[in-house]
Amino acid sequence: MHGLARYIPVLDWGRSYDRNTLSNDLIAALIVTIMLIPQSLAYALLAGLPPEAGIYASIVPILLYAVFGTSRALAVGPVAVVSLMTATAIGQVAQQGTAGYAVAALTLALLSGGFLLFLGIFRLGILANFLSHPVIAGFITASGILIATSQLRHILGVSAGGFTLFEMVDSLVTHLGTLNWITLIIGVLATGFLFWVRKGLKPLLRSLGVGPRLADIAAKAGPVAAVVATTLAVWGFGLHDRGVAIVGEVPQSLPPFTMPGLSLELISELALPAVLISIIGFVESVSVAQTLAAKKRQRINPDQELIGLGAANLGAAFTGGYPVTGGFSRSVVNFDAGAETPAAGAFTAIGLAIASVALTPLIYFLPKATLAATIIVAVLSLVDFSILKKTWRYSRADFAAVVATIVLTLAAGVEVGVAAGVLLSVALHLSKTARPHVAEVGLVPGTQHFRNIKRYTVETVPFVLTLRVDESLYFVNARFLEDLVQDRVYEGSGIRDVVLMFSAVNEVDFSAVETLEAINHRLKDLGIGLHLSEVKGPVMDRLKTAHFLQELNGEVFLSQYHAWMMLSQNDGPAQAAE
Amino acid sequence: MHGLARYIPVLDWGRSYDRNTLSNDLIAALIVTIMLIPQSLAYALLAGLPPEAGIYASIVPILLYAVFGTSRALAVGPVAVVSLMTATAIGQVAQQGTAGYAVAALTLALLSGGFLLFLGIFRLGILANFLSHPVIAGFITASGILIATSQLRHILGVSAGGFTLFEMVDSLVTHLGTLNWITLIIGVLATGFLFWVRKGLKPLLRSLGVGPRLADIAAKAGPVAAVVATTLAVWGFGLHDRGVAIVGEVPQSLPPFTMPGLSLELISELALPAVLISIIGFVESVSVAQTLAAKKRQRINPDQELIGLGAANLGAAFTGGYPVTGGFSRSVVNFDAGAETPAAGAFTAIGLAIASVALTPLIYFLPKATLAATIIVAVLSLVDFSILKKTWRYSRADFAAVVATIVLTLAAGVEVGVAAGVLLSVALHLSKTARPHVAEVGLVPGTQHFRNIKRYTVETVPFVLTLRVDESLYFVNARFLEDLVQDRVYEGSGIRDVVLMFSAVNEVDFSAVETLEAINHRLKDLGIGLHLSEVKGPVMDRLKTAHFLQELNGEVFLSQYHAWMMLSQNDGPAQAAE
């Protein structure tokens, strides 16, 4: 991709668009549209917004992503975790159900879009890498629990609230007296039905001889069936008069033009949540996009993805939506249904636009409990504690990061949880590099290869101490090396030469150069030579700009074997004792 | 050192104490005491405390350090940078000159001592390593400028204030109308005299035939001469009646027993400054102690140093002092004067105790301008901008850290400056590891050594791609590697095997293992083998706990040469295309 097409990928794939691709894209769009109608309504409910916000957030953002995004299959719109984060962020600045609440959601989308565009334009997508896999896994699991818990109030028909697990449970228990039994029955039946559709329907249809593709579509349409059945039940039996909360009036219109709130106070309060939402959303989106792209040997450009998602969020901000990102389930469905280009997304947007004009009166009697049930069933599949077992087995540091993320997300909310996970990961990584592994090495007999004397049977000579430093040398571990070399030299008597094998030293910063100079001086005072071996190109370039190499009381050898050949002779280079 | 002597080093060196050591220690103590009297008074002034606080802070802390510290020559007491940091910290919670101010200083010493002890007991001295050499150098330079500027008010005889450079200069200019000319004359003369003593006296005495040791002592006694001369001048001419600020009444007593303030509010406000003061003080102290110890081939135990300094600060908290640490100038004087054991420190403490009882009436007429002059002359030697040039030449990242530290220390105060320096250093280090250097390598002819194909003339075969990954693999760069391998494989046609040379990979965390698994799967799908070579022991141990090795579509070779021998044959291992 060259020129403009690099920034507007539609110019690339649009050129080769043909009839066959069109029919594949149209079919995929139809399936995704059917799935998205209840899902969009449900996520709007989760974000604390009116149901139409979910539909609006799926129309213009999808179109913009189709123009600027690089993934062929990614479906952009409201997703569960971002909806929860939106509710948490806006809940701190406005009261749910007020006009200010909806305006704050637009502002959040605007800030999020602006931040994503900023990262994309300056090619800073790498920032997202600070979320380690374990932190993401822990965060998604904890969010799934929080989301499911937050929806219990709709299943029970009570008006509870809260942002942390404790607050939610406390509020639910407090309000338990106002429980609505009919709502509970609808909610439990819908939840049970959806679980069965997810686990049992497809095998059943297959055993009845239905083709795999059709069985799959039927399973995906389960939420629609639940919506239709419960809406009819409420309408037929007049259950809304017996206290069952329903969606009610939804404006019958295309996405309106909306203006986000721009007060400095609002912006400053939402800035940090917007950054977190952007990064979490980006990470989720890119990992889905990469997984799908790899299956067709296509490539994702993460920096261009930032621009695509940024544009989508700006679109959401001005058309009555709220923060959006590439969703896992909707993208997988899109891909499985055969979508070949982002045009499938555009057709989905058209389908949803038609729905928002034509179908909204039909969902007047839709009980909120049904939407809550679709959310609960969807997010419980995100909850996966196996990451605890996996990381425990692999490394305690990764395990600690997962546990901290899960516990703090549940106990202190999504923002604290993810921030703590990132900070702890970084701190643990740095602390590992602070006391690096240093191995004394010797020659593996019959090779030119050097290995740890504690792990392999190797050749050594007593007057040459060879230390392989297994870490980049920088300020955090600079003093450590100084102490270590001094200890080893004082320990071993008769050492004439010290070789630092730099094969694993990827960086030597200014503090570390000063340390190397100090080591060189001390060894020189003791009449011991200091040599380096296997110094890598970039490190050598750097060292040449310092005085260290001129003062070095020894040599820099290309390979450790070369150093060994020169120094292990008894008549090796005599060192000047000064 | 074993058993109790490890924690109370006095038990070690005390046993071999003899008459010769005693006389050396006594001489050193005398010289240091003479130097410390004006210095202690001056630093108390800098901290905004009554002059006696400086003397008190040098008595009990020295004794406690002599028992618990490991350095033979370190002299503990008030130092310039810590005095400035104390003034900044306490200035935020109490008004200078009030009883609350002195009590807050005690609390700060208590918190600082407690924190140091905590670090020492849990062997967390490594925390201090987060201050890189460039950050320390920048911080000390900026602090020197701030300290010198803060003392100008005493030279000018005006009552200005402020904690940042701008505030100080602004306040000085505002108060310039109240300038006291006599004070200014005393201040300028004293400053000029002290500069001359520092630079010109020793060469002069030497040229007059005075022995080097005596010339040195005479130069060190310069501040005492300035104190005596200006005190006599004020007394003789009654200058205190003409507006020259003098030290005035100083209680004639041994250090009193004092109780630090323990209110939760005070503690919470001073906790963070105490942490910063402790770490800065510890770093300064340890680097002095290590420099001096190395000269005599003695060792410093940093964790025990924390305990020694912690005890010294607790001592200061309960005897009318304020935060203390090992000072550079006083320690060097102590060392040069021949101190052999911490007993020299104990004798210094006795000398100062005598001074605080006997000599305090004599300094009634000592002008504050003289003390300010001793501070200015002392701290300007700390100002050294050469670090800017050195780091600029060596690396832009180190340079950026220095500049940020200097600018923010001057513009926003000591606490913000040092915190920003540390955070920026860490961020720059992480960002360097985020896009690691990866070299394609080939065999250096005639050796078994592999080098970058872009830097050396090496042998390669087109169907084997060998990449040397020059960084530990962890969450921040995990995705980078995945993209890179994919790019290279798509680029190069006819690749049959990919070898990742792990000689520089010092850690593989959980996120990176998942990435390696993903790379393995993708290459397997393409019928390409994935091999590892030169995997280090600790990394191999870790990889064995993951599934990755079982699933690896290739081998792990001990050495890269071994991998090359196996794979570079045209009939090398065929790869399963699945």
Side-chain angles (χ1 to χ4, degrees):
Chain A
M1 282 184 275
H2 300 285
L4 205 58
R6 182 173 173 186
Y7 298 98
I8 311 179
V10 64
L11 300 178
D12 183 48
W13 59 260
R15 224 176 291 163
S16 56
Y17 204 77
D18 62 15
R19 202 184 167 122
N20 190 30
T21 322
L22 173 69
S23 88
N24 283 336
D25 282 351
L26 275 176
I27 292 171
L30 181 68
I31 295 171
V32 174
T33 305
I34 291 171
M35 183 189 110
L36 281 195
I37 295 173
Q39 201 185 79
S40 303
L41 299 171
Y43 289 156
L45 186 76
L46 170 55
L49 290 163
E52 65 271 22
I55 306 264
Y56 295 160
S58 298
I59 297 176
V60 174
I62 288 183
L63 290 172
L64 287 168
Y65 180 82
V67 175
F68 295 103
T70 56
S71 168
R72 300 284 174 108
L74 197 70
V76 169
V79 305
V81 171
V82 169
S83 298
L84 173 70
M85 293 181 83
T86 299
T88 307
I90 316 179
Q92 284 153 11
V93 299
Q95 188 66 37
Q96 205 168 308
T98 64
Y101 192 89
V103 169
L106 299 173
T107 305
L108 196 63
L110 179 73
L111 294 174
S112 180
F115 182 67
L116 289 164
L117 272 184
F118 170 84
L119 292 183
I121 289 165
F122 292 98
R123 316 247 139 212
L124 294 171
I126 207 152
L127 259 192
N129 294 2
F130 280 83
L131 283 173
S132 70
H133 293 200
V135 168
I136 296 169
F139 178 70
I140 298 283
T141 288
S143 299
I145 295 172
L146 277 185
I147 292 169
T149 310
S150 78
Q151 295 309 301
L152 287 181
R153 63 170 180 267
H154 298 297
I155 302 282
L156 295 167
V158 300
S159 56
F163 296 111
T164 68
L165 192 63
F166 176 78
E167 285 168 10
M168 287 177 187
V169 171
D170 183 56
S171 179
L172 280 176
V173 170
T174 310
H175 290 84
L176 214 53
T178 62
L179 175 105
N180 182 290
W181 284 101
I182 301 174
T183 305
L184 181 61
I185 290 167
I186 294 174
V188 168
L189 285 178
T191 309
F193 170 73
L194 291 171
F195 265 117
W196 173 76
V197 164
R198 193 169 265 256
K199 304 279 175 193
L201 181 61
K202 207 168 135 188
L204 179 71
L205 291 175
R206 296 284 288 127
S207 71
L208 294 176
V210 179
R213 181 103 184 241
L214 198 64
D216 214 36
I217 294 175
K220 293 289 181 320
V224 177
V227 164
V228 171
T230 54
T231 304
L232 289 176
V234 171
W235 176 64
F237 299 107
L239 300 179
H240 57 293
D241 291 332
R242 303 181 61 182
V244 173
I246 56 171
V247 167
E249 190 118 28
V250 176
Q252 211 172 340
S253 94
L254 288 174
F257 174 77
T258 51
M259 199 60 205
L262 293 173
S263 83
L264 267 185
E265 198 198 337
L266 191 60
I267 288 174
S268 73
E269 282 181 301
L270 293 179
L272 188 64
V275 166
L276 290 176
I277 287 174
S278 304
I279 294 184
I280 295 275
F282 174 62
V283 169
E284 177 170 356
S285 185
V286 161
S287 48
V288 176
Q290 276 178 330
T291 307
L292 298 180
K295 291 193 183 178
K296 292 199 173 176
R297 296 195 61 178
Q298 292 161 350
R299 292 306 305 277
I300 294 301
N301 174 349
D303 286 319
Q304 183 60 33
E305 280 302 285
L306 284 164
I307 292 175
L309 291 175
N313 275 290
L314 291 187
F318 291 100
T319 57
Y322 68 99
V324 295
T325 193
F328 182 75
S329 58
R330 57 173 66 194
S331 300
V332 171
V333 170
N334 195 32
F335 182 86
D336 286 346
E340 289 196 29
T341 75
F347 300 141
T348 304
I350 294 170
L352 287 169
I354 294 170
S356 71
V357 174
L359 303 182
T360 41
L362 303 182
I363 57 169
Y364 183 91
F365 289 108
L366 170 58
K368 288 186 175 177
T370 306
L371 294 178
T374 65
I375 295 178
I376 290 175
V377 173
V379 298
L380 284 184
S381 68
L382 302 177
V383 176
D384 178 8
F385 284 104
S386 72
I387 188 70
L388 285 172
K389 201 175 127 199
K390 285 189 217 159
T391 50
W392 172 260
R393 215 168 43 203
Y394 187 72
S395 109
R396 298 299 179 270
D398 285 305
F399 177 75
V402 177
V403 170
T405 308
I406 292 179
V407 170
L408 284 168
T409 302
L410 292 177
V414 280
E415 290 164 10
V416 174
V418 74
V422 170
L423 291 179
L424 187 64
S425 305
V426 169
L428 289 172
H429 171 72
L430 290 175
S431 74
K432 273 186 272 185
T433 67
R435 299 182 192 266
H437 180 252
V438 176
E440 185 176 346
V441 296
L443 182 66
V444 180
T447 72
Q448 297 185 7
H449 191 61
F450 288 75
R451 282 288 177 151
N452 192 339
I453 60 168
K454 290 191 184 147
R455 289 176 182 259
Y456 294 85
T457 311
V458 292
E459 293 171 18
T460 56
V461 291
F463 47 90
V464 178
L465 173 69
T466 305
L467 298 175
R468 190 189 68 208
V469 183
D470 284 355
E471 193 60 65
S472 290
L473 296 176
Y474 74 118
F475 59 98
V476 169
N477 57 28
R479 190 172 294 140
F480 175 88
L481 182 69
E482 191 173 345
D483 289 349
L484 184 120
V485 171
Q486 210 164 330
D487 282 344
R488 291 290 177 97
V489 169
Y490 288 175
E491 251 172 40
S493 58
I495 291 173
R496 195 185 64 193
D497 290 288
V498 172
V499 185
L500 296 179
M501 186 175 166
F502 263 31
S503 50
V505 174
N506 303 310
E507 192 210 335
V508 175
D509 79 351
F510 188 80
S511 305
V513 168
E514 296 199 328
T515 298
L516 289 173
E517 285 171 0
I519 294 172
N520 182 45
H521 281 298
R522 291 199 192 160
L523 292 181
K524 202 172 186 176
D525 288 345
L526 300 172
I528 296 174
L530 177 67
H531 311 267
L532 304 182
S533 73
E534 311 211 350
V535 181
K536 276 177 278 202
V539 174
M540 197 66 189
D541 291 346
R542 193 53 65 81
L543 287 180
K544 279 178 186 158
T545 68
H547 287 299
F548 172 64
L549 288 184
Q550 285 107 63
E551 291 170 15
L552 186 65
N553 183 33
E555 286 181 56
V556 178
F557 295 99
L558 180 72
S559 71
Q560 174 54 32
Y561 185 69
H562 191 189
W564 166 262
M565 292 301 286
M566 295 294 291
L567 300 173
S568 66
Q569 318 298 323
N570 236 327
D571 53 353
Q575 297 309 320
E578 287 167 65
Chain B
M1 281 184 277
H2 299 285
L4 206 54
R6 179 171 174 188
Y7 298 98
I8 310 179
V10 64
L11 300 178
D12 183 47
W13 58 261
R15 224 176 288 165
S16 56
Y17 204 77
D18 62 16
R19 204 179 164 128
N20 190 31
T21 321
L22 173 67
S23 86
N24 284 335
D25 282 350
L26 274 176
I27 293 171
L30 182 68
I31 294 170
V32 174
T33 305
I34 291 171
M35 182 190 110
L36 281 194
I37 294 173
Q39 201 185 79
S40 302
L41 299 171
Y43 289 155
L45 187 76
L46 170 56
L49 290 163
E52 66 271 22
I55 307 265
Y56 296 159
S58 299
I59 299 176
V60 173
I62 289 183
L63 291 172
L64 287 168
Y65 181 82
V67 176
F68 294 104
T70 57
S71 167
R72 299 284 174 108
L74 196 72
V76 169
V79 305
V81 172
V82 168
S83 297
L84 173 71
M85 293 182 82
T86 299
T88 307
I90 316 179
Q92 283 154 9
V93 300
Q95 188 65 37
Q96 204 167 308
T98 64
Y101 192 89
V103 169
L106 301 173
T107 306
L108 197 63
L110 179 73
L111 294 174
S112 182
F115 182 67
L116 289 164
L117 274 184
F118 170 84
L119 292 182
I121 289 165
F122 291 98
R123 316 249 139 211
L124 295 172
I126 206 150
L127 258 193
N129 294 2
F130 279 84
L131 284 173
S132 71
H133 294 201
V135 168
I136 295 169
F139 179 70
I140 298 284
T141 288
S143 299
I145 296 171
L146 276 185
I147 292 169
T149 311
S150 78
Q151 296 309 299
L152 287 180
R153 64 169 179 267
H154 298 298
I155 302 282
L156 295 167
V158 301
S159 57
F163 297 111
T164 68
L165 191 62
F166 176 78
E167 285 170 8
M168 287 177 186
V169 172
D170 183 56
S171 179
L172 280 176
V173 171
T174 310
H175 289 84
L176 213 53
T178 61
L179 174 104
N180 182 290
W181 286 100
I182 304 175
T183 306
L184 181 61
I185 291 167
I186 295 174
V188 168
L189 286 178
T191 308
F193 171 73
L194 291 172
F195 265 117
W196 173 77
V197 163
R198 191 169 268 254
K199 303 280 176 193
L201 181 60
K202 208 170 137 188
L204 179 74
L205 290 174
R206 296 282 289 125
S207 71
L208 294 176
V210 179
R213 181 101 184 239
L214 199 61
D216 214 36
I217 293 174
K220 293 288 179 319
V224 176
V227 163
V228 171
T230 55
T231 304
L232 289 176
V234 172
W235 175 64
F237 300 107
L239 299 179
H240 56 294
D241 290 333
R242 303 181 60 183
V244 173
I246 55 170
V247 166
E249 189 120 29
V250 177
Q252 210 173 341
S253 95
L254 289 174
F257 173 77
T258 51
M259 199 59 207
L262 293 172
S263 82
L264 267 185
E265 198 196 338
L266 192 61
I267 289 174
S268 73
E269 281 180 303
L270 293 178
L272 188 64
V275 166
L276 289 175
I277 287 175
S278 304
I279 294 183
I280 295 275
F282 173 62
V283 169
E284 178 170 357
S285 186
V286 160
S287 48
V288 177
Q290 277 178 333
T291 307
L292 299 179
K295 292 193 183 179
K296 293 200 173 177
R297 295 196 63 177
Q298 292 161 350
R299 294 304 308 274
I300 296 300
N301 174 349
D303 287 318
Q304 182 62 32
E305 279 304 283
L306 284 166
I307 292 173
L309 292 175
N313 275 291
L314 291 187
F318 291 100
T319 59
Y322 68 98
V324 294
T325 193
F328 182 74
S329 58
R330 57 173 67 195
S331 300
V332 171
V333 170
N334 194 32
F335 182 85
D336 286 347
E340 289 196 29
T341 73
F347 301 140
T348 304
I350 293 169
L352 287 170
I354 293 168
S356 71
V357 173
L359 303 181
T360 42
L362 302 182
I363 57 169
Y364 183 92
F365 290 107
L366 171 58
K368 288 186 174 176
T370 307
L371 294 177
T374 65
I375 294 177
I376 289 173
V377 174
V379 297
L380 283 184
S381 68
L382 301 177
V383 175
D384 178 8
F385 284 106
S386 71
I387 187 71
L388 285 173
K389 200 176 127 200
K390 284 189 217 160
T391 51
W392 172 261
R393 217 170 41 206
Y394 187 71
S395 107
R396 299 299 179 270
D398 284 305
F399 178 75
V402 178
V403 171
T405 308
I406 292 179
V407 170
L408 284 167
T409 302
L410 292 178
V414 279
E415 289 165 9
V416 174
V418 75
V422 170
L423 291 180
L424 187 65
S425 306
V426 169
L428 289 171
H429 171 72
L430 290 175
S431 74
K432 273 185 272 186
T433 66
R435 298 182 191 267
H437 179 252
V438 176
E440 185 175 344
V441 297
L443 182 66
V444 179
T447 72
Q448 299 185 5
H449 191 60
F450 287 76
R451 281 287 178 152
N452 193 339
I453 60 169
K454 290 190 183 148
R455 289 176 182 259
Y456 294 84
T457 311
V458 291
E459 294 171 18
T460 55
V461 290
F463 47 90
V464 177
L465 173 70
T466 305
L467 298 174
R468 190 189 69 208
V469 183
D470 284 355
E471 195 58 67
S472 291
L473 296 176
Y474 74 118
F475 58 96
V476 169
N477 57 27
R479 190 172 296 141
F480 176 87
L481 182 70
E482 191 173 344
D483 290 348
L484 184 120
V485 171
Q486 210 164 332
D487 282 342
R488 293 289 178 97
V489 169
Y490 287 176
E491 251 171 40
S493 58
I495 292 173
R496 194 184 64 194
D497 290 287
V498 173
V499 184
L500 296 178
M501 186 175 166
F502 263 31
S503 51
V505 174
N506 303 309
E507 192 209 335
V508 175
D509 80 350
F510 189 79
S511 305
V513 168
E514 295 199 328
T515 297
L516 288 174
E517 285 171 359
I519 294 172
N520 182 47
H521 281 298
R522 292 201 191 160
L523 292 181
K524 202 172 186 177
D525 288 345
L526 300 172
I528 297 174
L530 177 68
H531 312 266
L532 305 182
S533 73
E534 311 211 350
V535 181
K536 277 178 277 203
V539 173
M540 197 67 190
D541 290 347
R542 191 53 63 80
L543 287 180
K544 278 179 186 157
T545 68
H547 286 300
F548 173 63
L549 288 185
Q550 285 108 62
E551 289 169 17
L552 186 65
N553 184 31
E555 285 181 57
V556 178
F557 295 99
L558 179 71
S559 72
Q560 174 55 32
Y561 185 69
H562 190 190
W564 166 263
M565 292 301 285
M566 294 294 290
L567 300 173
S568 66
Q569 318 299 323
N570 236 326
D571 52 352
Q575 298 310 321
E578 285 167 69

